[in-house]
């Protein structure tokens, strides 16, 4: 038996680290931002700050930067493999019959522009996390409002650090578009790709465990068919030079001579949606407890599904390494995520509650109290 290939093992470790950091950050980014009701009637309950009413003068509210996002339903989940297959096969036909040069040129510019917005949003989230909400809200808010008569057509609002971060966020896309060094563009690709996955996990929220199971099951079959049944997936993934994947050099000194280990963003975002849902369920359970004011809370479902993700990804890499063939990561990640959540609920005796919980804005604790408070204020 030969000595271990430390260069290759280091690349697996690098990709695994990037994927886990992305899932971890994106999961916490999907949590609702809540603040305590400062009222004797609130009894310490929390409300979602994104549910506050807009000011009547059309100016952006204090917490307008907290977005209310639609949840993915089970019907949406079943359509994902269908639309994904159409897009994937369309790319394959374009590459096969029209060549890769112009599609790579077009997509590179598209993702460069989208990358500016994505990196900007992620950098704002990171800065806000580092500074803390209290300190962040001390900065001045700059608003742009377009009105027609008394009605507001649109309004945009940012705090001053966000505006200062915009030119910084444009740097990765500029490097990606104009840098002639492939080794530099790899790390820039990772920065843009990590921001894409972070924002996707923050915004793409499933509404229940059943939706997550349907999404993972459908894309489980999708991945197996397009990887094992055809050359389509491997051909498209290795041909398109766009930041929709993470790359790590197969070298301890980060040299690009031996190539790169690759992981598609879909293998982060798709299982990550269930991991983020598990964290929101942990958060929901904490808010239902007698100590909702605590900033930290137990996360058994989150850690169980995140651990299962690590095990599934390591398994993928081991199989790929020993069989010397590309592997559909969701073949291992999908069942790992579904069964880890289900088994955790069963072991804890919370199976009925976990399967029945629906993550919708209306179910936020304190929401009813907040609505009553607003109604009373409107009547005054």
């Amino acid at each position: 038996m030969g000595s271990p290939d430390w260069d290759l093992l280091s690349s697996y470790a690098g990709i695994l680290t990037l994927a886990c950091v992305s899932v971890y950050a994106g999961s916490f980014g999907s949590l609702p931002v809540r603040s305590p009701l400062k009222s004797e009637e609130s009894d310490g309950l929390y409300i979602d700050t994104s549910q506050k009413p807009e000011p009547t003068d059309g100016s952006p509210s204090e917490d307008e930067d907290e977005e209310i996002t639609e949840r993915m339903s089970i019907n949406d989940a079943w359509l994902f493999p269908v639309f994904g297959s159409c897009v994937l096969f369309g790319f394959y036909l374009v590459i096969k019959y029209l060549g890769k040069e112009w599609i790579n040129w077009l997509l590179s510019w598209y993702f460069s522009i989208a990358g500016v917005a994505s990196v900007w949003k992620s950098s704002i989230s990171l800065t806000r996390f580092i500074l803390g909400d209290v300190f962040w809200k001390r900065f001045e808010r700059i608003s742009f409002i377009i009105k027609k008569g008394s009605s507001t057509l649109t309004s945009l609002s940012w705090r001053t650090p966000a505006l200062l971060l915009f030119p910084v966020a444009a740097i990765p896309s500029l490097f990606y578009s104009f840098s002639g060094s492939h080794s530099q563009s790899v790390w820039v690709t990772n920065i843009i790709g990590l921001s894409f996955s972070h924002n996707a996990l923050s915004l793409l929220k499933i509404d229940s465990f059943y939706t997550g199971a349907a999404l993972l099951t459908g894309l489980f079959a999708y991945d197996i068919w397009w990887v094992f049944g055809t050359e389509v997936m491997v051909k498209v993934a290795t041909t398109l030079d766009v930041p929709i994947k993470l790359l790590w050099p197969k070298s301890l000194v980060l040299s690009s001579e031996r190539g790169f280990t690759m992981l598609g963003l879909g293998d982060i975002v798709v299982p990550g949606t269930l991991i983020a849902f598990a964290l929101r369920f942990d958060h929901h359970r904490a808010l239902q407890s007698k100590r909702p004011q605590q900033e930290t809370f137990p996360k058994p479902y989150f850690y169980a599904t995140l651990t299962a993700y690590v095990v599934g990804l390591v398994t993928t890499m081991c199989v790929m390494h020993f069989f010397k063939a590309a592997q559909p990561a969701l073949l291992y990640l999908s069942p790992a995520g579904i069964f880890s959540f289900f088994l955790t609920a069963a072991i804890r005796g919370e199976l009925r509650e976990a399967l029945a919980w629906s993550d919708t804005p209306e179910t936020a604790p304190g929401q009813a109290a907040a609505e009553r408070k607003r109604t009373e204020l409107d009547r005054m």
Side-chain angles (χ1 to χ4, degrees):
M1 185 176 179
S3 60
D5 187 344
W6 293 111
D7 287 333
L8 187 58
L9 292 177
S10 69
S11 71
Y12 291 156
I15 281 289
L16 181 64
T17 301
L18 289 180
C20 291
V21 167
S22 182
V23 169
Y24 190 92
S27 297
F28 277 89
S30 76
L31 286 176
V33 177
R34 301 178 185 274
S35 61
L37 281 169
K38 300 184 183 303
S39 165
E40 294 179 0
E41 297 178 1
S42 67
D43 194 26
L45 291 174
Y46 277 37
I47 63 169
D48 191 335
T49 57
S50 63
Q51 302 289 324
K52 291 182 179 179
E54 294 290 326
T56 56
D57 63 353
S59 62
S61 66
E62 175 66 17
D63 296 288
E64 188 180 89
D65 41 3
E66 310 305 338
E67 301 174 3
I68 304 174
T69 57
E70 293 291 332
R71 287 354 184 216
M72 183 194 303
S73 68
I74 193 168
N75 292 329
D76 301 325
W78 287 123
L79 290 175
F80 252 70
V82 178
F83 289 129
S85 296
C86 293
V87 172
L88 180 67
F89 192 61
F91 278 136
Y92 175 76
L93 293 178
V94 169
I95 292 169
K96 185 173 183 178
Y97 295 107
L98 299 180
K100 66 178 183 179
E101 289 77 14
W102 76 271
I103 190 66
N104 269 325
W105 178 85
L106 181 65
L107 288 178
S108 65
W109 277 105
Y110 170 80
F111 280 106
S112 293
I113 296 171
V116 174
S118 182
V119 173
W120 187 31
K121 185 174 177 61
S122 293
S123 62
I124 291 172
S125 298
L126 178 61
T127 304
R128 184 169 181 171
F129 171 77
I130 294 172
L131 297 178
D133 266 351
V134 175
F135 190 77
W136 174 264
K137 291 183 178 180
R138 293 177 183 173
F139 290 104
E140 290 293 328
R141 178 186 288 275
I142 300 174
S143 302
F144 301 89
I145 305 171
I146 300 177
K147 286 189 173 184
K148 184 178 181 180
S150 60
S151 61
T152 300
L153 298 180
T154 185
S155 63
L156 299 173
S157 178
W158 300 280
R159 299 196 181 272
T160 47
L163 296 177
L164 296 176
L165 286 170
F166 181 78
V168 178
I171 293 175
S173 289
L174 292 175
F175 263 100
Y176 177 77
S177 299
F178 300 108
S179 174
S181 171
H182 184 66
S183 60
Q184 287 181 353
S185 66
V186 165
W187 299 111
V188 170
T189 295
N190 286 342
I191 292 174
I192 298 175
L194 287 171
S195 73
F196 281 148
S197 59
H198 168 259
N199 289 311
L201 287 173
S202 299
L203 299 174
L204 187 64
K205 301 178 182 180
I206 57 177
D207 63 359
S208 68
F209 169 77
Y210 293 110
T211 299
L215 178 67
L216 289 175
T217 301
L219 291 175
F220 169 86
Y222 159 94
D223 229 16
I224 291 176
W225 166 250
W226 290 115
V227 173
F228 287 145
T230 71
E231 67 166 358
V232 172
M233 179 74 80
V234 175
K235 179 72 173 178
V236 171
T238 55
T239 301
L240 292 183
D241 185 19
V242 290
I244 54 174
K245 54 196 173 189
L246 299 181
L247 301 167
W248 195 277
K250 297 177 181 178
S251 168
L252 281 170
V253 295
L254 305 182
S255 170
S256 60
E257 292 181 1
R258 289 185 59 185
F260 302 88
T261 298
M262 179 181 67
L263 183 68
L265 295 189
D267 297 326
I268 297 173
V269 175
V270 173
T273 56
L274 184 61
I275 298 172
F277 173 81
L279 180 62
R280 295 196 301 277
F281 180 60
D282 286 328
H283 186 250
H284 162 78
R285 292 173 60 254
L287 291 174
Q288 298 297 324
S289 70
K290 297 182 182 297
R291 297 185 299 275
Q293 294 87 353
Q294 291 183 340
E295 294 183 1
T296 60
F297 53 92
K299 307 174 186 68
Y301 290 88
F302 173 67
Y303 288 130
T305 51
L306 183 61
T307 300
Y309 178 78
V310 173
V311 172
L313 202 52
V314 169
T315 303
T316 305
M317 294 174 177
C318 290
V319 175
M320 181 176 64
H321 180 77
F322 288 113
F323 288 95
K324 308 297 182 184
Q327 294 294 310
L330 291 180
L331 174 65
Y332 310 97
L333 297 176
S334 291
I338 293 171
F339 288 123
S340 63
F341 187 93
F342 188 89
L343 289 176
T344 301
I347 292 171
R348 293 175 60 87
E350 300 167 345
L351 190 58
R352 184 183 297 273
E353 178 188 0
L355 299 185
W357 184 61
S358 179
D359 177 29
T360 57
E362 290 74 21
T363 59
Q367 186 66 30
E371 292 295 338
R372 289 196 301 271
K373 188 176 182 66
R374 291 173 198 156
T375 302
E376 292 173 2
L377 289 174
D378 291 340
R379 291 175 179 174
M380 293 176 63

